[in-house]
Each structure stands twice: as C-alpha cells, then as structure tokens.
Amino acid sequence: MPRLGIDRDFLRDFAKMERPLQERIGEVFGKFREATHAGLHLEKVGNARDPRFRTIRIDLHWRGVVLAPEQGDTYTLLKVLPHDDAYAWAQRRRASVNAATGHIEIRDVAAIDATLPELSQHAERSAGTRVFAAVSDADLARLGVDDQTRAFSRALTEVIQLEAAQAFLPAVQYDVLYSLAAGYTPEQVWSELSQQITDQQIDPDDVSAAVARSDDQVLLVDGPAELMEVFRNPFDLWRIYLHPTQSRVVHARFSGAARVSGGPGTGKTVVCLHRAHQLALRNEGPILVTTFTSTLAASLRAGLDVLIDDPVVRGRITVEHVDRVANRIFRAEHGNPRLLSATEQRTIWRRINERLQTSFTEAFLMEEWRQVVLAQQVGDAAAYLTAKRTGRGRPLGRHQRAQVWQLMWEFQRELAKQHAWTYETLCAEATRLLNAHTDRPYRHVLVDEAQDLSAVQWRLVRAVAADGPDDVFLAGDTHQRIYSNRVTLRDVGLRVAGRSARLTVNYRTTAEILGWSLGMLRQEAIDDMEGGLESVAGSRSEVHGLPPDTKGYSTKDTELAAVAQQVKEWLADGVSPGEIGVAARTNHLAKDARTIMTRHGIQVRLLTEQEPDEQSVAAGTMHRMKGLEFRCLAVIGVSDGIVPPLSAITPASEDELTHQQDMQRERCLLFVACTRAREQLTVSWHGKRSPLLDFAHQA
C-alpha cells in the first residue's frame, strides 16, 4: 500500500494556512492511499525538470506538489501552493539522492542554471582566488557534493555568493560548502557528517529508500488517523525534527558533563528534549529536566508530551524548575519554609546598615551576598577576606571587607532569629541535604537556559545526580543571559571541556529579524561560562521575511493604540491569537497594553496569570517571554528611562564595572525579547527612544 511522507518544511507552511484550507488538505490526503492506488488525481507536470513530480488538486485554487517514486510506494508531500505557483515551483526543481548520506534532496535547478553563467563570467574577469580552489574534486564528491553543485562551487570567488545561493542549493551540500568556506578541513567536515553517513548501498534513483532514510526531513505517516494528528499539531512537530548537527549531540555518549550552546532559535531546547527522550529509552535511572522559571518548565513539559507517546518512557522524566526542586528537597526534611521576599530582605539590610553606619547600599550588599558569599560558600571572616570578587567591580580594602563581613554576619543571624530563608539559602540547604547522602534522586539531569542559573542553583544541579557518564547536560547561550548571575562552570564542579558543541543555524527567526537583533550585541564582550568569551560568528537563519518595523510615538497612549491596531491587522491576516505576543520591560506596561487591546475587542492573557493559549494574545514582561516564541511579536515601550529602567542600572559613578554589566544584561534582555519573533517583529517607543536602539539608527 502507498505510504505518504510529509516534508518538514511543509509543516511550517501548513501552520500558517487558514483553517478552511488546512481542513481541505486534511480531507484530500486523508484519502490519499485510495486515490493513489486507483491512479487518480496525481497529474504530471508539463516541462518539468524532474518527471517524478506530480500535482494533486486541493480545490479550485490550490494544488499540492508530490514527489512520486519510479520504484517503491512512498510518496512525499512537498508543497501546497496556489494553482499556477504550484506548477511553477515543480517545474523549477529536481529531487536527488545525496551520495554520502543517502537522504533525499530538493534543489532549484532553474536558479542554479540562471546564476552559474553570470558567476563564471564574473570569476573569469576577477583576479580573486576561487573560494574552493584548495579543495579537490575527490573531497567534494566524498562529502556528497554532486556534479551540478560542484560546478557551481567552482565559480565562486566570494563567500557572500555562496550565502546568496543557500535558498536554491541542496541543504546538506550547502552546509558542507559553508563549512569548507569557513576554514574547516575536509576531514573535519567528514567528521561532522559522520552521524548522517549511511553504511547502506545507495541507489541514486531509489527515491523511496532515500525518503525512508531522511527521518530528519520527512515524516512518514501510516493512515488517515496519524495524518490528522500531524495536521493538528503542525508547528509542534516541525520543531521536534532534528537537524543532523543536533542529532549528533542528542545521541552522543559523554564520559561526564556536556554542553550545547548556540544563538536563539538554533534548537538547543529541542536537543535537550530529544536527549532526555534518548536517555529515557536507555532506562538507566530517573531523569530530571530543569530550568530557572515555572513558565519555561511548563513549556519543556509540553514539548516532552508532544515528543514522547509512550507513557512508561515519559514517566521516567521529571520536569521541574530548579527552585521547586530545591523546595521539594528542603520540605522533605524541614517542612514548609518561611521565605522572605526581596522587599523584606532589603528592609533587613537597610536596618543593619543604618545600625552599623556604613556607606554601602542595600543593592550592593544583596549582590555581594549572592555573588560572593553564597556563590563561593564563604563561611567565616577569614574566608571572605581572601575570597575572589571577580566581576564585582567596586574594589574593597581589608578594612572594608571586614565591615562588609560584619554586615553579612548580622544578616545571617537575623535570618536564623526569624527562622526565615531566602531562595538562595534554601537552595544551599537542599544541596547540603543531598550531599549528606550517597544516594542521589536522579541518574541524569538536563538544564535548559543554563546561562541564567546562579552558583547556588548550579551546586544543587551538581548534587541531584552522582558523577558519571552522561550525568549533567546543559543547554544555553550567554548572549541570552537576562539575570546578573555570572558563573564559571568549573567553579561549581562541572567540567565540560572537550564535551561541548555549538549550533549556528537558526530555525525559528527570519534572517532579517536575527541580523537586526544581533546588531545590539555587536560590540559586547560576553563570557562563555568556561573562562573565555562567547562569539556569535557564524550564526545564520534558514528563513527570510520582512525586516523589523521600528517606530516612535509622542505618548504612551498613542503607542498602545497603534499596538492594538497592529495586533488587529495580524489577526485579520489569519494569524491565530496564540501566535501573537506583546512584550514590555515592566509588568505595569504589559497590563496597560492588555487594557487597551481589550478595549479594541482583542482577547489578551497576561503571562503572569496564565500560560499562553490558542485563543488569546499573550502579553508579558521581556523576562516572561524567555523560552517562548510567537509568529508575530510587538516589543513595546523601548523608551529612554524604561529600557533600561533607571532602577536596574548601577550608576557609573558608584561602580563602573557593575554599570557596564548591568547595561550588557539589559541589552541581552532586549535581544532575547526581539528574537522571540518568528516572522514579524515591531519595536516601538514613546517619547525619546532607548539608547539601546542607537545601533539601528546609525548612519
């Protein structure tokens, strides 16, 4: 019986289509087996470069493009487009089988044929060196670069020409060429490809076998029920597919802790979820997946529920944010804690400070407590006098350190007197309880958004699983750090040297949004959690779209009214409410935006009150947007004095280094907010725009 495969990229297209068209596609392909068996509906494409391409009628205006095999019975749905566009798409392209991986490939032959003569003429006129002059034909062939792509590559004199060709070259062959152009040796590229290399005999004409091997690109469905389940969750399923680079990290076995890094949208969370699934299939012991907020934990939990359909396997994985893990361990020993709020802590610091009459601010003391005393487990005055204060900015002499330690000691005594705890001291106590026993609650722990955990939280992570192979896996990007925590992993007992991988291809955000957003971090020196600096070099997007729309308004009311109008336009264009987000620096402004949008008849849900759903637009702070994504996003109130808030920035006159770190954190936060957008991004302000946007307005 015929089998139907669905190209991963079609799922992205399907998720954007209007509901009636989606339903009609479901009806047509729900009956695909019968139609194909009877030889009905599949029509040849006139003037096609590939005779295996067929079209199938969806309705009067839309047609599907299907790859039909010459042998075998696996058909692949590639596209659904308006009638004329479908034929034009099919006439330009050809399918092939990659000689190295055995996977199916689609290329725009017409674009290659049209571009190659011009490139060749330019190369002959140019005195420049060809990009791949040092790479032999034999190496290119071994890496799966076929004759047509090789001829194209030989005409390239600039890497930018290769980047411009990404849209029409076969994806894996493009990645091979891009890696070689970036300076990787053929042996290094072969090593990167090794996860995809098949040991099967490859028949270049057997499309069905190639599709069956292409589980990173094609989803094979069995019957109408499974097909309709795919169509009910198209974007969820698109996201859980693995690029070969991601797959290598997912399936790798590490001798100890390991790490994956990468920019926004590169699939770090997808890797984390798939790796948790693979570890659960091994069934070596309980697994914890954790992160730093309840919102992110809920998103991870939902992702695993989509990915894993076996309840036994799913039951081996616990998903909890790190503070909840600490609280649960603490309560098992001590019962419910009395936790002090930030305001209550600040009051205690102020009272102690006034009594001892020192010149230190409450903000300085609270950060010194967190970043030095708790982070380094400083237990007495002697230890504090010799403690490292790297990154703290304000230098302290011996006499000042003695003063500060007196304040710290008084604060700890006050906590004990009140039988009270902070989130940090509770986490430290939970870690102590774990380390007091040889048995640990988990065999594996995986951490998403790792860059935002504090030192005390990292020590808890280290303590919940015993040392051993594949014990700790972390995914993160320090360019997306939105809190003040700066941790060097080896200082908290984690060594990942030699067990790190970096992802560079963005699968979520358009190239235009990613490039614009990266501009705000271009001059920032950002640490990599391993004693060096992180780089965004090589980050790129697979998709293109509209550039961000930036605009200023005279007042807050006019800005919010414009935002409401923009959201109404997105809704009118067929974007579902759950695919729209509105991000603000403060919860107060997010609430104001909700009020205005509600007056315009838009259903809005605050992220502080409930997680986003399909029926309502999500409004929330930039912090709450972390880990989420939206098809369309409005980042609002990016005004001077709001982004960043004056209260969030240490004055340069008080501490220059801390001031710089605060400004970097705020840039990262704005960067994170903007890169939540998949397709359309608007950035607005009222009054004077934020200085963080100056990069976008330079001549």
Side-chain angles (χ1 to χ4, degrees), residues 570-648:
W570 284 334
L571 292 169
D573 288 342
V575 182
S576 71
E579 294 180 308
I580 298 174
V582 177
R585 180 60 179 84
T586 66
N587 197 48
H588 180 75
L589 185 55
K591 287 182 176 179
D592 287 346
R594 178 184 64 171
T595 299
I596 297 300
M597 286 188 286
T598 301
R599 288 176 187 169
H600 281 74
I602 302 168
Q603 187 171 335
V604 184
R605 191 180 306 276
L606 278 178
L607 290 177
T608 52
E609 298 174 355
Q610 199 163 346
E611 301 305 321
D613 57 38
E614 289 303 311
Q615 287 71 47
S616 59
V617 172
T621 64
M622 296 178 183
H623 288 87
R624 283 282 177 175
M625 292 287 167
K626 190 74 179 76
L628 304 180
E629 58 184 64
F630 300 91
R631 184 174 169 187
C632 301
L633 177 71
V635 179
I636 65 173
V638 190
S639 307
D640 189 23
I642 299 177
V643 179
L646 297 178
S647 60

Coordinates of all heavy atoms in Angstrom, one line a residue, residues 570-648:
W570 N -2.8 41.8 12.3 CA -2.3 40.4 12.3 C -3.4 39.4 12.3 O -3.4 38.4 11.6 CB -1.3 40.2 13.4 CG 0.1 40.8 13.2 CD1 0.7 41.1 12.0 CD2 1.0 41.3 14.2 NE1 1.9 41.7 12.2 CE2 2.1 41.8 13.5 CE3 1.0 41.3 15.6 CZ2 3.2 42.3 14.2 CZ3 2.0 41.8 16.3 CH2 3.2 42.3 15.6
L571 N -4.4 39.6 13.2 CA -5.5 38.7 13.4 C -6.3 38.7 12.1 O -6.7 37.6 11.6 CB -6.4 39.2 14.5 CG -5.8 39.0 15.9 CD1 -6.7 39.7 16.9 CD2 -5.6 37.6 16.3
A572 N -6.5 39.8 11.4 CA -7.2 39.9 10.2 C -6.5 39.2 9.0 O -7.1 38.6 8.1 CB -7.5 41.3 9.8
D573 N -5.2 39.1 9.1 CA -4.4 38.4 8.1 C -4.4 36.9 8.4 O -3.7 36.1 7.6 CB -2.9 38.9 8.2 CG -2.8 40.3 7.6 OD1 -3.7 40.7 6.8 OD2 -1.8 41.0 7.8
G574 N -5.1 36.4 9.4 CA -5.2 35.0 9.6 C -4.2 34.4 10.7 O -4.2 33.2 10.9
V575 N -3.5 35.3 11.3 CA -2.6 34.8 12.4 C -3.5 34.5 13.6 O -4.3 35.3 14.0 CB -1.6 35.9 12.8 CG1 -0.6 35.3 13.9 CG2 -0.8 36.2 11.5
S576 N -3.3 33.3 14.2 CA -4.2 33.0 15.4 C -3.7 33.8 16.6 O -2.6 34.1 16.7 CB -4.1 31.5 15.7 OG -2.8 31.1 16.2
P577 N -4.6 34.1 17.5 CA -4.3 34.9 18.7 C -3.1 34.3 19.5 O -2.2 35.0 20.0 CB -5.6 34.8 19.6 CG -6.7 34.6 18.6 CD -6.1 33.7 17.5
G578 N -3.1 32.9 19.6 CA -2.0 32.3 20.4 C -0.6 32.4 19.7 O 0.4 32.1 20.4
E579 N -0.6 32.9 18.5 CA 0.7 33.1 17.8 C 1.2 34.5 17.9 O 2.2 34.9 17.2 CB 0.6 32.7 16.3 CG 0.3 31.2 16.1 CD 0.2 30.8 14.7 OE1 -0.6 31.5 14.0 OE2 0.9 29.9 14.2
I580 N 0.5 35.4 18.7 CA 0.9 36.8 18.8 C 1.3 37.1 20.2 O 0.6 36.7 21.2 CB -0.3 37.7 18.4 CG1 -0.7 37.4 16.9 CG2 0.0 39.1 18.6 CD1 -2.0 38.1 16.5
G581 N 2.4 37.8 20.4 CA 2.8 38.2 21.7 C 3.1 39.7 21.7 O 3.4 40.4 20.7
V582 N 3.0 40.3 22.9 CA 3.3 41.7 23.2 C 4.2 41.7 24.4 O 3.8 41.2 25.5 CB 2.1 42.5 23.5 CG1 2.4 44.0 23.8 CG2 1.1 42.5 22.3
A583 N 5.5 42.2 24.2 CA 6.5 42.1 25.3 C 6.8 43.5 25.8 O 7.0 44.5 25.0 CB 7.7 41.5 24.8
A584 N 6.9 43.7 27.1 CA 7.2 45.0 27.7 C 8.3 44.8 28.8 O 8.4 43.7 29.3 CB 6.0 45.7 28.3
R585 N 9.0 45.8 29.1 CA 10.1 45.7 30.1 C 9.5 45.6 31.5 O 10.0 44.9 32.4 CB 11.0 47.0 30.1 CG 12.1 46.9 31.1 CD 13.0 45.7 31.0 NE 14.1 45.7 31.9 CZ 14.0 45.2 33.2 NH1 12.8 44.7 33.6 NH2 15.0 45.2 34.0
T586 N 8.3 46.2 31.7 CA 7.7 46.1 33.1 C 6.3 45.4 33.0 O 5.6 45.5 32.0 CB 7.5 47.5 33.7 OG1 6.6 48.2 32.9 CG2 8.9 48.2 33.7
N587 N 5.9 44.8 34.1 CA 4.6 44.2 34.1 C 3.5 45.3 34.1 O 2.4 45.1 33.5 CB 4.5 43.4 35.4 CG 3.3 42.4 35.4 OD1 3.1 41.7 34.4 ND2 2.5 42.4 36.4
H588 N 3.8 46.5 34.6 CA 2.8 47.6 34.6 C 2.5 47.9 33.2 O 1.3 48.1 32.8 CB 3.3 48.8 35.4 CG 2.4 49.9 35.4 ND1 1.3 50.0 36.2 CD2 2.4 51.1 34.7 CE1 0.7 51.1 36.1 NE2 1.3 51.8 35.1
L589 N 3.5 48.1 32.3 CA 3.2 48.4 30.9 C 2.5 47.3 30.2 O 1.6 47.5 29.3 CB 4.5 48.8 30.2 CG 4.4 49.3 28.8 CD1 3.5 50.5 28.7 CD2 5.8 49.6 28.2
A590 N 2.9 46.0 30.5 CA 2.2 44.9 29.9 C 0.7 44.9 30.3 O -0.2 44.6 29.4 CB 2.8 43.6 30.3
K591 N 0.4 45.3 31.5 CA -1.0 45.4 31.9 C -1.7 46.5 31.2 O -2.9 46.4 30.8 CB -1.1 45.6 33.4 CG -0.8 44.4 34.2 CD -0.9 44.6 35.7 CE -0.7 43.4 36.6 NZ -0.8 43.6 38.0
D592 N -1.1 47.6 31.0 CA -1.7 48.8 30.3 C -2.0 48.3 28.8 O -3.0 48.7 28.3 CB -0.7 50.0 30.3 CG -0.6 50.7 31.6 OD1 -1.5 50.4 32.5 OD2 0.3 51.5 31.8
A593 N -1.0 47.6 28.2 CA -1.3 47.1 26.9 C -2.5 46.2 26.8 O -3.3 46.2 25.9 CB 0.0 46.4 26.3
R594 N -2.6 45.3 27.8 CA -3.8 44.4 27.8 C -5.0 45.2 27.9 O -6.0 44.9 27.2 CB -3.7 43.5 29.0 CG -4.9 42.6 29.1 CD -4.9 41.7 30.3 NE -4.9 42.4 31.6 CZ -5.1 41.8 32.8 NH1 -5.2 40.5 32.8 NH2 -5.1 42.5 33.9
T595 N -5.1 46.3 28.8 CA -6.3 47.1 28.9 C -6.7 47.7 27.6 O -7.9 47.7 27.2 CB -6.0 48.2 30.0 OG1 -5.7 47.6 31.2 CG2 -7.2 49.1 30.1
I596 N -5.7 48.3 26.9 CA -6.0 48.9 25.6 C -6.5 47.9 24.6 O -7.5 48.1 23.8 CB -4.8 49.7 25.1 CG1 -4.4 50.8 26.1 CG2 -5.1 50.3 23.7 CD1 -5.5 51.9 26.3
M597 N -5.8 46.8 24.5 CA -6.2 45.8 23.5 C -7.6 45.2 23.8 O -8.3 44.9 22.9 CB -5.1 44.7 23.4 CG -3.8 45.1 22.7 SD -2.7 43.7 22.5 CE -2.0 43.5 24.1
T598 N -7.8 45.0 25.1 CA -9.2 44.5 25.4 C -10.3 45.5 25.0 O -11.3 45.1 24.5 CB -9.2 44.3 27.0 OG1 -8.2 43.4 27.4 CG2 -10.6 43.7 27.4
R599 N -10.0 46.8 25.1 CA -11.0 47.8 24.7 C -11.2 47.7 23.2 O -12.3 48.1 22.7 CB -10.5 49.2 25.0 CG -10.5 49.5 26.5 CD -10.0 50.9 26.8 NE -9.9 51.2 28.2 CZ -9.2 52.2 28.7 NH1 -8.6 53.0 27.9 NH2 -9.1 52.4 30.0
H600 N -10.2 47.2 22.4 CA -10.3 47.1 21.0 C -10.9 45.7 20.6 O -10.9 45.3 19.5 CB -9.0 47.2 20.3 CG -8.5 48.7 20.2 ND1 -8.1 49.4 21.2 CD2 -8.5 49.5 19.1 CE1 -7.8 50.6 20.8 NE2 -8.0 50.7 19.5
G601 N -11.4 45.0 21.6 CA -12.0 43.7 21.3 C -11.1 42.5 21.2 O -11.5 41.5 20.6
I602 N -9.9 42.7 21.6 CA -8.9 41.6 21.5 C -8.8 40.8 22.8 O -8.7 41.4 23.9 CB -7.5 42.2 21.1 CG1 -7.5 43.0 19.8 CG2 -6.4 41.1 21.1 CD1 -6.3 43.9 19.6
Q603 N -8.8 39.5 22.7 CA -8.7 38.7 23.9 C -7.2 38.5 24.3 O -6.4 38.1 23.5 CB -9.3 37.3 23.7 CG -9.4 36.5 25.0 CD -10.2 35.2 24.8 OE1 -11.1 35.2 23.9 NE2 -9.9 34.2 25.6
V604 N -6.9 39.0 25.5 CA -5.5 39.0 25.9 C -5.3 38.3 27.2 O -6.1 38.4 28.1 CB -5.0 40.5 26.0 CG1 -3.5 40.5 26.4 CG2 -5.3 41.3 24.8
R605 N -4.2 37.6 27.4 CA -3.9 36.9 28.6 C -2.5 37.3 29.1 O -1.5 37.3 28.3 CB -3.9 35.4 28.4 CG -3.9 34.6 29.7 CD -3.9 33.1 29.3 NE -5.1 32.8 28.5 CZ -6.3 32.5 28.9 NH1 -6.5 32.6 30.2 NH2 -7.3 32.2 28.1
L606 N -2.4 37.7 30.4 CA -1.1 38.1 30.9 C -0.3 36.8 31.3 O -0.9 35.9 31.9 CB -1.3 38.9 32.2 CG -1.5 40.4 32.0 CD1 -1.7 41.1 33.4 CD2 -0.4 41.1 31.3
L607 N 1.0 36.8 31.0 CA 1.8 35.6 31.3 C 2.0 35.4 32.7 O 2.3 34.3 33.2 CB 3.1 35.7 30.5 CG 3.0 35.6 29.0 CD1 4.4 35.7 28.4 CD2 2.5 34.2 28.6
T608 N 1.8 36.4 33.5 CA 2.0 36.3 35.0 C 0.8 35.5 35.6 O 0.8 35.0 36.7 CB 2.1 37.6 35.7 OG1 1.0 38.5 35.2 CG2 3.4 38.3 35.4
E609 N -0.3 35.5 34.8 CA -1.6 34.9 35.4 C -1.8 33.5 34.8 O -2.4 32.6 35.4 CB -2.8 35.8 35.0 CG -2.7 37.2 35.7 CD -3.8 38.1 35.3 OE1 -4.6 37.8 34.4 OE2 -3.8 39.2 35.8
Q610 N -1.4 33.3 33.5 CA -1.7 32.0 32.9 C -0.8 31.9 31.7 O -0.4 32.9 31.0 CB -3.2 31.9 32.5 CG -3.6 30.5 32.2 CD -5.1 30.4 32.2 OE1 -5.8 31.3 32.6 NE2 -5.6 29.3 31.8
E611 N -0.5 30.6 31.3 CA 0.3 30.4 30.2 C -0.4 30.7 28.9 O -1.7 30.7 28.9 CB 0.8 28.9 30.1 CG 1.5 28.5 31.3 CD 2.8 29.3 31.6 OE1 3.4 29.7 30.6 OE2 3.0 29.6 32.7
P612 N 0.3 31.1 27.8 CA -0.4 31.4 26.5 C -1.2 30.2 26.0 O -0.9 29.1 26.2 CB 0.8 31.8 25.6 CG 2.0 31.1 26.2 CD 1.8 31.1 27.7
D613 N -2.3 30.6 25.3 CA -3.1 29.5 24.7 C -3.5 30.0 23.3 O -3.1 31.1 22.8 CB -4.3 29.2 25.5 CG -5.2 30.4 25.8 OD1 -5.3 31.2 24.9 OD2 -5.7 30.5 26.9
E614 N -4.2 29.2 22.6 CA -4.5 29.5 21.2 C -5.6 30.5 21.0 O -5.7 31.1 20.0 CB -5.0 28.2 20.4 CG -3.9 27.2 20.2 CD -2.7 27.8 19.4 OE1 -3.0 28.4 18.3 OE2 -1.5 27.7 19.8
Q615 N -6.4 30.8 22.1 CA -7.5 31.7 22.0 C -7.2 33.1 22.4 O -8.0 34.0 22.2 CB -8.7 31.2 22.8 CG -9.4 30.0 22.3 CD -8.6 28.7 22.4 OE1 -8.0 28.4 23.4 NE2 -8.5 28.0 21.3
S616 N -6.0 33.4 22.9 CA -5.7 34.7 23.4 C -4.3 35.2 23.0 O -3.3 34.4 23.0 CB -5.9 34.8 24.9 OG -5.1 33.9 25.5
V617 N -4.1 36.5 22.8 CA -2.8 37.1 22.6 C -2.1 37.1 24.0 O -2.7 37.4 25.0 CB -3.0 38.5 22.1 CG1 -1.7 39.3 22.1 CG2 -3.6 38.5 20.7
A618 N -0.8 36.8 24.0 CA 0.0 36.8 25.2 C 0.7 38.1 25.4 O 1.3 38.7 24.5 CB 1.0 35.7 25.1
A619 N 0.5 38.7 26.6 CA 1.2 39.9 27.0 C 2.0 39.6 28.2 O 1.5 39.0 29.2 CB 0.2 41.1 27.2
G620 N 3.2 40.1 28.3 CA 4.0 39.9 29.5 C 5.3 40.6 29.4 O 5.6 41.3 28.4
T621 N 6.1 40.5 30.5 CA 7.4 41.1 30.5 C 8.4 40.4 29.6 O 8.2 39.3 29.2 CB 8.0 41.1 31.9 OG1 8.2 39.8 32.3 CG2 7.0 41.8 32.9
M622 N 9.5 41.1 29.3 CA 10.5 40.5 28.5 C 11.1 39.3 29.2 O 11.4 38.3 28.5 CB 11.6 41.5 28.2 CG 11.2 42.7 27.4 SD 12.6 43.9 27.2 CE 11.7 45.2 26.2
H623 N 11.2 39.3 30.5 CA 11.7 38.2 31.3 C 10.7 37.0 31.1 O 11.2 35.8 30.9 CB 11.8 38.5 32.7 CG 12.9 39.4 33.1 ND1 12.8 40.8 33.0 CD2 14.2 39.2 33.5 CE1 13.9 41.3 33.4 NE2 14.8 40.4 33.7
R624 N 9.4 37.2 31.1 CA 8.4 36.1 30.9 C 8.4 35.5 29.5 O 8.0 34.4 29.3 CB 7.0 36.6 31.3 CG 6.8 36.8 32.8 CD 6.5 35.4 33.4 NE 6.3 35.5 34.8 CZ 6.0 34.5 35.6 NH1 5.8 33.3 35.1 NH2 5.9 34.6 36.9
M625 N 8.9 36.3 28.6 CA 8.9 35.9 27.2 C 10.0 34.8 26.9 O 10.0 34.2 25.9 CB 9.1 37.0 26.2 CG 7.9 38.0 26.2 SD 6.5 37.2 25.3 CE 5.2 38.3 25.7
K626 N 11.0 34.8 27.9 CA 12.1 33.9 27.7 C 11.6 32.4 27.5 O 10.8 31.9 28.2 CB 13.0 33.9 29.0 CG 14.3 33.2 28.8 CD 15.2 34.0 27.9 CE 16.6 33.3 27.8 NZ 16.5 32.2 26.8
G627 N 12.2 31.8 26.4 CA 11.9 30.5 26.1 C 10.6 30.3 25.3 O 10.3 29.2 24.8
L628 N 9.8 31.4 25.0 CA 8.6 31.3 24.2 C 8.9 31.8 22.8 O 10.0 32.3 22.6 CB 7.5 32.1 24.9 CG 7.1 31.8 26.3 CD1 6.0 32.7 26.8 CD2 6.7 30.3 26.4
E629 N 8.0 31.6 21.9 CA 8.1 32.1 20.6 C 6.8 32.4 20.0 O 5.8 31.8 20.4 CB 8.9 31.2 19.7 CG 8.3 29.8 19.5 CD 9.2 28.9 18.7 OE1 10.3 28.5 19.1 OE2 8.7 28.4 17.6
F630 N 6.7 33.4 19.1 CA 5.5 33.9 18.5 C 5.7 34.1 17.0 O 6.7 34.6 16.6 CB 5.0 35.1 19.2 CG 4.8 35.0 20.7 CD1 5.8 35.2 21.6 CD2 3.6 34.5 21.2 CE1 5.6 35.0 22.9 CE2 3.3 34.3 22.5 CZ 4.4 34.6 23.4
R631 N 4.7 33.8 16.3 CA 4.7 34.1 14.9 C 4.9 35.6 14.6 O 5.7 36.1 13.8 CB 3.5 33.6 14.2 CG 3.5 33.8 12.7 CD 2.2 33.1 12.1 NE 2.0 33.4 10.7 CZ 1.0 33.1 10.0 NH1 0.0 32.3 10.5 NH2 0.9 33.4 8.7
C632 N 4.1 36.4 15.4 CA 4.2 37.9 15.3 C 4.4 38.4 16.7 O 3.7 38.0 17.6 CB 2.9 38.5 14.7 SG 2.6 37.9 13.0
L633 N 5.3 39.4 16.9 CA 5.6 39.9 18.2 C 5.7 41.4 18.2 O 6.4 42.0 17.3 CB 6.9 39.3 18.7 CG 7.4 39.8 20.1 CD1 6.5 39.3 21.2 CD2 8.8 39.4 20.3
A634 N 5.1 42.1 19.1 CA 5.3 43.6 19.3 C 6.1 43.8 20.6 O 5.7 43.3 21.7 CB 4.0 44.3 19.4
V635 N 7.3 44.4 20.5 CA 8.1 44.8 21.7 C 7.8 46.3 21.9 O 8.1 47.1 21.0 CB 9.6 44.5 21.5 CG1 10.4 44.9 22.7 CG2 9.8 43.0 21.2
I636 N 7.3 46.6 23.0 CA 6.7 47.9 23.2 C 7.5 48.7 24.4 O 8.2 48.1 25.2 CB 5.2 47.9 23.6 CG1 5.0 47.2 24.9 CG2 4.5 47.2 22.4 CD1 3.5 47.3 25.4
G637 N 7.3 50.0 24.4 CA 7.9 50.8 25.4 C 9.4 50.8 25.5 O 10.0 50.9 26.6
V638 N 10.0 50.7 24.3 CA 11.5 50.7 24.3 C 12.0 52.1 24.3 O 12.5 52.7 23.3 CB 12.0 49.9 23.1 CG1 13.6 49.7 23.2 CG2 11.4 48.5 23.0
S639 N 11.7 52.8 25.4 CA 11.9 54.2 25.6 C 13.0 54.5 26.5 O 13.4 53.7 27.4 CB 10.6 54.9 26.1 OG 9.5 54.6 25.3
D640 N 13.6 55.7 26.4 CA 14.7 56.1 27.3 C 14.1 56.2 28.8 O 13.0 56.7 29.0 CB 15.2 57.5 26.9 CG 16.4 57.9 27.7 OD1 17.1 57.0 28.2 OD2 16.7 59.1 27.8
G641 N 14.8 55.5 29.7 CA 14.3 55.5 31.1 C 13.4 54.3 31.4 O 13.2 54.0 32.6
I642 N 12.9 53.6 30.4 CA 12.1 52.4 30.6 C 13.0 51.2 30.2 O 12.9 50.1 30.9 CB 10.8 52.4 29.7 CG1 10.0 53.6 30.2 CG2 10.1 51.1 29.9 CD1 8.7 53.8 29.4
V643 N 13.7 51.3 29.1 CA 14.6 50.2 28.6 C 16.0 50.8 28.4 O 16.3 51.4 27.4 CB 14.1 49.5 27.3 CG1 15.1 48.4 26.9 CG2 12.7 49.0 27.5
P644 N 16.9 50.7 29.4 CA 16.6 50.0 30.7 C 16.0 50.9 31.8 O 16.2 52.2 31.7 CB 18.0 49.6 31.1 CG 18.9 50.7 30.6 CD 18.3 51.1 29.3
P645 N 15.3 50.4 32.8 CA 14.8 51.2 33.9 C 16.0 51.8 34.7 O 17.0 51.1 34.9 CB 14.0 50.2 34.7 CG 13.8 49.0 33.9 CD 15.0 49.0 32.9
L646 N 15.9 53.0 35.1 CA 17.0 53.6 35.9 C 17.3 52.8 37.1 O 18.4 52.7 37.6 CB 16.6 55.0 36.2 CG 16.4 56.0 35.1 CD1 16.0 57.4 35.6 CD2 17.7 56.1 34.2
S647 N 16.2 52.2 37.7 CA 16.4 51.4 39.0 C 17.2 50.1 38.8 O 17.7 49.5 39.7 CB 15.1 51.1 39.6 OG 14.3 50.3 38.6
A648 N 17.3 49.7 37.5 CA 18.0 48.4 37.2 C 19.5 48.6 36.9 O 20.2 47.7 36.7 CB 17.4 47.7 36.0

